[in-house]
Amino acid sequence: ASSTTVDLSPIEPGMQVTVPWQKKPVIIINRTPEMLASLKETMDKGILKDPLCKVPQQPPYCTNMYRSRIPEWYVGIRICNHLCCIPHYRPKKGSVAPWWLGGFHCPCHGSMYDLSCRVIQGSPAPHNMAVPEYEISTEKMSTTI
Ligand code: FES
């Protein structure tokens, strides 16, 4: 399998980019402290299907609340695991529902995910979105998927 290296330096806090990797869209988000706080808040609301990432949808080093190697940087496959649509990035609070703290919203059948791509209860998608194996370096400001 071929790997892709992405320069992280142009991705400012709060921004996301989507890059192709093995014919799949991979999202990279530089999460702000506020965005990271929203992950805990969503967890505390008890609205996630698999808050602790028990279903193996990520490498072992991403089995944490951030679902990442470095909390700020999220790297994940941007494919809804209901019927494989590409969810929209909706980082703004209240943009999908009054209680919304930011995340992804699937245009096909309405699945909702938080900013760690953990699926919210009531969504047709059964699992959190997948995270690929990757390396990341904040010194080199790059990630290799
Ligand atoms: Fe995303 Fe159905 S494909 S909700």
mmCIF file of all heavy atoms in Angstrom, residues 4-11 28 69-70 73 75 134-145:
data_model
loop_
_atom_site.group_PDB
_atom_site.id
_atom_site.type_symbol
_atom_site.label_atom_id
_atom_site.label_comp_id
_atom_site.label_asym_id
_atom_site.label_seq_id
_atom_site.Cartn_x
_atom_site.Cartn_y
_atom_site.Cartn_z
ATOM 1 N N THR A 4 1.126 8.460 1.861
ATOM 2 C CA THR A 4 1.020 9.859 1.473
ATOM 3 C C THR A 4 1.531 10.702 2.629
ATOM 4 O O THR A 4 1.159 10.436 3.775
ATOM 5 C CB THR A 4 -0.470 10.215 1.234
ATOM 6 O OG1 THR A 4 -0.960 9.377 0.190
ATOM 7 C CG2 THR A 4 -0.674 11.662 0.841
ATOM 8 N N THR A 5 2.358 11.701 2.327
ATOM 9 C CA THR A 5 2.817 12.611 3.379
ATOM 10 C C THR A 5 2.190 13.978 3.155
ATOM 11 O O THR A 5 2.145 14.473 2.034
ATOM 12 C CB THR A 5 4.359 12.693 3.391
ATOM 13 O OG1 THR A 5 4.853 11.387 3.689
ATOM 14 C CG2 THR A 5 4.869 13.657 4.452
ATOM 15 N N VAL A 6 1.650 14.540 4.222
ATOM 16 C CA VAL A 6 0.940 15.821 4.130
ATOM 17 C C VAL A 6 1.643 16.845 5.010
ATOM 18 O O VAL A 6 1.957 16.559 6.175
ATOM 19 C CB VAL A 6 -0.534 15.657 4.585
ATOM 20 C CG1 VAL A 6 -1.284 16.973 4.462
ATOM 21 C CG2 VAL A 6 -1.234 14.571 3.787
ATOM 22 N N ASP A 7 1.876 18.032 4.443
ATOM 23 C CA ASP A 7 2.459 19.151 5.182
ATOM 24 C C ASP A 7 1.370 19.768 6.064
ATOM 25 O O ASP A 7 0.323 20.192 5.570
ATOM 26 C CB ASP A 7 2.976 20.171 4.154
ATOM 27 C CG ASP A 7 3.553 21.418 4.812
ATOM 28 O OD1 ASP A 7 3.774 21.414 6.044
ATOM 29 O OD2 ASP A 7 3.787 22.391 4.079
ATOM 30 N N LEU A 8 1.623 19.810 7.363
ATOM 31 C CA LEU A 8 0.608 20.323 8.282
ATOM 32 C C LEU A 8 0.719 21.839 8.487
ATOM 33 O O LEU A 8 -0.190 22.450 9.036
ATOM 34 C CB LEU A 8 0.744 19.643 9.647
ATOM 35 C CG LEU A 8 0.578 18.118 9.686
ATOM 36 C CD1 LEU A 8 0.817 17.615 11.107
ATOM 37 C CD2 LEU A 8 -0.802 17.691 9.195
ATOM 38 N N SER A 9 1.843 22.425 8.054
ATOM 39 C CA SER A 9 2.073 23.836 8.416
ATOM 40 C C SER A 9 1.014 24.822 7.902
ATOM 41 O O SER A 9 0.738 25.790 8.597
ATOM 42 C CB SER A 9 3.487 24.278 8.047
ATOM 43 O OG SER A 9 3.779 23.965 6.726
ATOM 44 N N PRO A 10 0.368 24.602 6.740
ATOM 45 C CA PRO A 10 -0.671 25.577 6.356
ATOM 46 C C PRO A 10 -2.009 25.395 7.071
ATOM 47 O O PRO A 10 -2.914 26.212 6.882
ATOM 48 C CB PRO A 10 -0.845 25.360 4.848
ATOM 49 C CG PRO A 10 -0.042 24.186 4.464
ATOM 50 C CD PRO A 10 0.588 23.600 5.682
ATOM 51 N N ILE A 11 -2.146 24.342 7.854
ATOM 52 C CA ILE A 11 -3.457 24.064 8.484
ATOM 53 C C ILE A 11 -3.523 24.777 9.837
ATOM 54 O O ILE A 11 -2.968 24.332 10.820
ATOM 55 C CB ILE A 11 -3.685 22.549 8.639
ATOM 56 C CG1 ILE A 11 -3.371 21.811 7.331
ATOM 57 C CG2 ILE A 11 -5.132 22.272 9.066
ATOM 58 C CD1 ILE A 11 -3.377 20.294 7.463
ATOM 59 N N ILE A 28 -7.881 15.874 7.830
ATOM 60 C CA ILE A 28 -6.921 16.247 8.866
ATOM 61 C C ILE A 28 -7.460 17.530 9.494
ATOM 62 O O ILE A 28 -7.744 18.494 8.779
ATOM 63 C CB ILE A 28 -5.515 16.476 8.271
ATOM 64 C CG1 ILE A 28 -5.043 15.195 7.580
ATOM 65 C CG2 ILE A 28 -4.535 16.924 9.357
ATOM 66 C CD1 ILE A 28 -3.829 15.378 6.699
ATOM 67 N N ARG A 69 -3.110 10.410 17.737
ATOM 68 C CA ARG A 69 -1.805 10.301 18.392
ATOM 69 C C ARG A 69 -1.503 11.563 19.188
ATOM 70 O O ARG A 69 -0.885 11.513 20.223
ATOM 71 C CB ARG A 69 -0.713 10.110 17.331
ATOM 72 C CG ARG A 69 -0.642 8.697 16.755
ATOM 73 C CD ARG A 69 0.584 8.633 15.883
ATOM 74 N NE ARG A 69 0.835 7.356 15.264
ATOM 75 C CZ ARG A 69 1.580 6.389 15.817
ATOM 76 N NH1 ARG A 69 2.112 6.541 17.006
ATOM 77 N NH2 ARG A 69 1.787 5.260 15.164
ATOM 78 N N ILE A 70 -1.906 12.721 18.650
ATOM 79 C CA ILE A 70 -1.680 14.016 19.300
ATOM 80 C C ILE A 70 -3.060 14.667 19.400
ATOM 81 O O ILE A 70 -3.748 14.777 18.381
ATOM 82 C CB ILE A 70 -0.737 14.900 18.439
ATOM 83 C CG1 ILE A 70 0.625 14.211 18.295
ATOM 84 C CG2 ILE A 70 -0.602 16.294 19.033
ATOM 85 C CD1 ILE A 70 1.559 14.891 17.310
ATOM 86 N N TRP A 73 -4.332 17.117 16.648
ATOM 87 C CA TRP A 73 -4.386 16.690 15.251
ATOM 88 C C TRP A 73 -5.230 15.436 15.079
ATOM 89 O O TRP A 73 -4.861 14.372 15.566
ATOM 90 C CB TRP A 73 -2.972 16.440 14.714
ATOM 91 C CG TRP A 73 -2.192 17.702 14.607
ATOM 92 C CD1 TRP A 73 -1.280 18.181 15.517
ATOM 93 C CD2 TRP A 73 -2.267 18.680 13.563
ATOM 94 N NE1 TRP A 73 -0.793 19.381 15.087
ATOM 95 C CE2 TRP A 73 -1.376 19.716 13.891
ATOM 96 C CE3 TRP A 73 -3.019 18.759 12.377
ATOM 97 C CZ2 TRP A 73 -1.209 20.834 13.073
ATOM 98 C CZ3 TRP A 73 -2.838 19.876 11.572
ATOM 99 C CH2 TRP A 73 -1.951 20.898 11.926
ATOM 100 N N VAL A 75 -6.669 12.754 12.387
ATOM 101 C CA VAL A 75 -6.471 12.188 11.047
ATOM 102 C C VAL A 75 -7.464 11.039 10.921
ATOM 103 O O VAL A 75 -7.461 10.125 11.769
ATOM 104 C CB VAL A 75 -5.026 11.650 10.887
ATOM 105 C CG1 VAL A 75 -4.837 10.988 9.524
ATOM 106 C CG2 VAL A 75 -3.997 12.760 11.090
ATOM 107 N N TYR A 134 -1.170 5.828 10.926
ATOM 108 C CA TYR A 134 -0.398 6.982 10.445
ATOM 109 C C TYR A 134 0.704 7.344 11.423
ATOM 110 O O TYR A 134 0.683 6.935 12.581
ATOM 111 C CB TYR A 134 -1.309 8.189 10.192
ATOM 112 C CG TYR A 134 -1.929 8.793 11.443
ATOM 113 C CD1 TYR A 134 -1.331 9.869 12.096
ATOM 114 C CD2 TYR A 134 -3.094 8.268 11.987
ATOM 115 C CE1 TYR A 134 -1.895 10.411 13.253
ATOM 116 C CE2 TYR A 134 -3.651 8.800 13.145
ATOM 117 C CZ TYR A 134 -3.054 9.880 13.769
ATOM 118 O OH TYR A 134 -3.605 10.407 14.914
ATOM 119 N N GLU A 135 1.650 8.127 10.905
ATOM 120 C CA GLU A 135 2.724 8.713 11.714
ATOM 121 C C GLU A 135 2.498 10.210 11.691
ATOM 122 O O GLU A 135 1.966 10.737 10.711
ATOM 123 C CB GLU A 135 4.102 8.429 11.093
ATOM 124 C CG GLU A 135 4.452 6.963 10.958
ATOM 125 C CD GLU A 135 4.623 6.276 12.294
ATOM 126 O OE1 GLU A 135 5.029 6.976 13.262
ATOM 127 O OE2 GLU A 135 4.320 5.079 12.378
ATOM 128 N N ILE A 136 2.919 10.901 12.743
ATOM 129 C CA ILE A 136 2.786 12.359 12.740
ATOM 130 C C ILE A 136 3.945 12.952 13.518
ATOM 131 O O ILE A 136 4.395 12.361 14.505
ATOM 132 C CB ILE A 136 1.403 12.783 13.308
ATOM 133 C CG1 ILE A 136 1.170 14.281 13.132
ATOM 134 C CG2 ILE A 136 1.219 12.350 14.760
ATOM 135 C CD1 ILE A 136 -0.303 14.692 13.275
ATOM 136 N N SER A 137 4.447 14.091 13.040
ATOM 137 C CA SER A 137 5.537 14.765 13.730
ATOM 138 C C SER A 137 5.246 16.253 13.788
ATOM 139 O O SER A 137 5.054 16.896 12.750
ATOM 140 C CB SER A 137 6.853 14.510 12.991
ATOM 141 O OG SER A 137 7.797 15.484 13.363
ATOM 142 N N THR A 138 5.208 16.814 14.999
ATOM 143 C CA THR A 138 4.981 18.263 15.104
ATOM 144 C C THR A 138 6.285 19.019 14.864
ATOM 145 O O THR A 138 6.265 20.204 14.585
ATOM 146 C CB THR A 138 4.386 18.650 16.474
ATOM 147 O OG1 THR A 138 5.110 17.994 17.495
ATOM 148 C CG2 THR A 138 2.925 18.274 16.573
ATOM 149 N N GLU A 139 7.428 18.328 14.969
ATOM 150 C CA GLU A 139 8.700 18.986 14.634
ATOM 151 C C GLU A 139 8.797 19.190 13.131
ATOM 152 O O GLU A 139 9.122 20.270 12.653
ATOM 153 C CB GLU A 139 9.880 18.121 15.070
ATOM 154 C CG GLU A 139 10.413 18.480 16.445
ATOM 155 C CD GLU A 139 11.124 17.322 17.072
ATOM 156 O OE1 GLU A 139 11.968 16.712 16.389
ATOM 157 O OE2 GLU A 139 10.813 17.003 18.237
ATOM 158 N N LYS A 140 8.483 18.147 12.414
ATOM 159 C CA LYS A 140 8.538 18.254 10.946
ATOM 160 C C LYS A 140 7.248 18.822 10.382
ATOM 161 O O LYS A 140 7.158 19.102 9.192
ATOM 162 C CB LYS A 140 8.774 16.871 10.333
ATOM 163 C CG LYS A 140 10.134 16.300 10.658
ATOM 164 C CD LYS A 140 10.369 15.035 9.823
ATOM 165 C CE LYS A 140 11.333 14.098 10.491
ATOM 166 N NZ LYS A 140 10.978 12.694 10.399
ATOM 167 N N MET A 141 6.233 18.969 11.233
ATOM 168 C CA MET A 141 4.918 19.443 10.812
ATOM 169 C C MET A 141 4.398 18.645 9.617
ATOM 170 O O MET A 141 3.995 19.194 8.587
ATOM 171 C CB MET A 141 4.942 20.950 10.495
ATOM 172 C CG MET A 141 4.900 21.827 11.740
ATOM 173 S SD MET A 141 3.456 21.514 12.792
ATOM 174 C CE MET A 141 2.239 22.595 12.046
ATOM 175 N N SER A 142 4.407 17.330 9.762
ATOM 176 C CA SER A 142 3.880 16.501 8.682
ATOM 177 C C SER A 142 3.272 15.228 9.251
ATOM 178 O O SER A 142 3.579 14.826 10.382
ATOM 179 C CB SER A 142 4.980 16.142 7.684
ATOM 180 O OG SER A 142 5.842 15.195 8.258
ATOM 181 N N THR A 143 2.398 14.662 8.469
ATOM 182 C CA THR A 143 1.846 13.360 8.816
ATOM 183 C C THR A 143 1.965 12.449 7.600
ATOM 184 O O THR A 143 1.869 12.906 6.461
ATOM 185 C CB THR A 143 0.379 13.457 9.300
ATOM 186 O OG1 THR A 143 -0.070 12.152 9.687
ATOM 187 C CG2 THR A 143 -0.565 13.976 8.240
ATOM 188 N N THR A 144 2.208 11.189 7.868
ATOM 189 C CA THR A 144 2.289 10.201 6.798
ATOM 190 C C THR A 144 1.241 9.131 7.061
ATOM 191 O O THR A 144 1.206 8.525 8.126
ATOM 192 C CB THR A 144 3.702 9.587 6.720
ATOM 193 O OG1 THR A 144 4.621 10.650 6.509
ATOM 194 C CG2 THR A 144 3.808 8.591 5.575
ATOM 195 N N ILE A 145 0.368 8.990 6.068
ATOM 196 C CA ILE A 145 -0.745 8.048 6.187
ATOM 197 C C ILE A 145 -0.390 6.811 5.380
ATOM 198 O O ILE A 145 0.075 6.953 4.234
ATOM 199 C CB ILE A 145 -2.051 8.666 5.615
ATOM 200 C CG1 ILE A 145 -2.255 10.081 6.170
ATOM 201 C CG2 ILE A 145 -3.259 7.811 5.955
ATOM 202 C CD1 ILE A 145 -3.032 10.963 5.224
#
